[in-house]
Amino acid sequence: MESSGSATFAFQAEIKQLLHLMVHSLYSDREIFLRELISNASDANDRLRFESLAHPELLGADTDLAIRVTVDPEAGLVTITDNGIGMSRDEVIEHLGTIARSGTGQFLARMTGDQRKDAQLIGQFGVGFYSAFIVADEVTVSTRRADAPAEQGVRWVSDGQGEYSVAAVARTERGTSVQLKLKKDADEFLRPERLRALIRKYSDHIAFPVRLVAGGADEIVNRAKALWTRPKAEISDAEYVEFYKHLTHDAEEPLVWAHNRVEGKREYTSLLYIPSAAPFDLWNRESPKGVKLYVQRVFITDQATQFLPLYLRFVRGVVDSSELSLNVSRELLQQDETISAMRAALTRRVLDLLDRLAEDGEKYAKFWRDFGTLVKEGLVEDHANRERLVELLRFSSTRSTRAEQNRSLKDYLADANPEQNAIYFLIAESPTAARSSPHLEAFKERGVEVLLLTDRLDEWVMQHLTSHEGKTFKDVRRGALDLPTGNADKLATEPREEKQLLKRVKQVLRERVDEVRIGERLRQSAACLVLGDDDLGYQMRAMLTAAGHEAPAIVPSLELNLDHALVRRLNRESDPARFERLALLVFEQAVLAEGRQLEDPAAFVARLNELLADLEPAVDKPS
Ligand code: ADP
Ligand code: MG
């Protein structure tokens, strides 16, 4: 090859660090280099095929897109060649010399030193090419863009130590070849049987033929058929799993998948997977999402976001349509009627898949831990499927152990007293605050289950749920409870003396509370705070103010437990100053018991101390 104008560049600092880590920590998984390089070759062929739809001249006479793995045992060389899109000089420098994507820093931060785990991270962060240096002393990339003349080839060479050189070369073939000069101890990869086995293991589903050229033989090693185009019955679970890993770079197996071919008016195939763990960037608004779209087997985009609603952004997979036009543009994709019909059908498919998953308690628990919040998002966004999404909810409750969210509404209703008209729930700051909340006392006594919600979005979500199976959702912090076997009789007639107490407490607390009343909720605690049915909740208020909105202050009512020693003590207190201190403390206890912050904690401490110092006059004796 003629070369000219060779220039030397230093790798970006991050790449140096990455190369070092990779070479030293991924030694035991080094065979992955082949998977990564074949995957890049396949991407390059995909991109050429896509661009040739608008520019058929790019394909020219060389219409059979393929990948070739060539071995030269004497020279110790393995070369992976494609006839895809190729790279220009600038692209070579950008793609093979810098890490453009912000994921790299996060990748480096996540390197654990554990070889297995680190190997699994590699593909996920788009640094696959550099894995070549795990097995090679020297890597030579020769490439030419499909739209450039033969003289505009580029050669990139590096030993992975910190620098690379780029030179102009003449290259008659379009596309890229990556030549590895194998390290001495990596000569196992010169054996054709070893390479053949690896290609079958990792690249069987690659849609292009992968040829192995060794010792005069030239054979197609993989099946060369896109997996989703094959009949379901012929595909093993292991193949589905391997394809998922190729698609997502996820090292863990998916929880479930569904492979469907729709025929008739709309023709398309979908293969959808539910991952077993959330990717690190699930909550990043800018991160890529969507399924991989093919039209008549031609790759169009791997971020087709139009086929599923946003809340299902954790679903990964492929949609291949025979009906959409090949030159379907992204703008068109937004409005197409076919697409909205497909979107509705695919959404139902995912919900079917989740129903199926829910039959396996353990797997579903895994799903719920990582993606439950998204199901809740869906409840707010997707009115058409709300009933189905409600069934998919899982809660922690007074019947579940610790914070585990494993109670469905079906479980709740099955175990509820048939007379019970409501589905009770409590929203709290934390699982611990929820479990010890004074609001639960009357429920515990009656054995009525209360769902415990502690996610940041729960108040917002629960606003959208009014009833289920004829039972209304009831926030136990609000209004009257309507408990199944009420004690309203006891409350109906408050003796005069107690009315007097309520009045005195209200005079102390003034605008801090709306009303002071005798509670139906309490057994062990002295007091609790109750919201009005239409009051804003604490989480909602925090969300609104965080978003810069004006939100009215929340003024709860104070419920007192007349049987509590402290309240009885309060009732007997004749000294106005001491009464005030005690009443404020009762109120502040109620705030603290909700797991919330006091407005003036220092004043609370001072008041408490005054009372403690003043303990002499004996406290109330239990009667
Ligand atoms: P990823 O494939 O996840 O983007 P890689 O590190 O494997 O990350 O590759 C980096 C980039 O280098 C690719 O995105 C692509 O732009 C370019 N590249 C690598 N191999 C090839 C190839 N065979 N043909 C064309 N471009 C390639
Ligand atoms: Mg890659």
Side-chain angles (χ1 to χ4, degrees), residues 18 36-45 47 80-87 91-92 94-99 101 122-131 141-143 175-178 249:
L18 179 74
E36 293 299 325
L37 297 179
I38 290 179
S39 145
N40 285 351
S42 162
D43 291 349
N45 285 355
R47 286 188 44 208
I80 294 92
T81 306
D82 63 67
N83 53 351
I85 191 74
M87 283 179 275
E91 286 168 331
V92 165
E94 190 188 328
H95 298 316
L96 308 184
T98 61
I99 298 183
R101 253 166 300 167
I122 285 206
Q124 213 179 331
F125 290 86
V127 290
F129 169 75
Y130 301 102
S131 64
V141 178
S142 307
T143 182
T176 303
S177 75
V178 179
H249 294 302

Side-chain angles (χ1 to χ4, degrees), residues 356-375:
R356 211 168 84 206
L357 188 64
E359 289 164 18
D360 181 330
E362 204 172 305
K363 277 192 178 173
Y364 194 74
K366 202 161 191 246
F367 165 79
W368 184 258
R369 259 197 303 281
D370 272 26
F371 304 113
T373 316
L374 292 171
V375 173

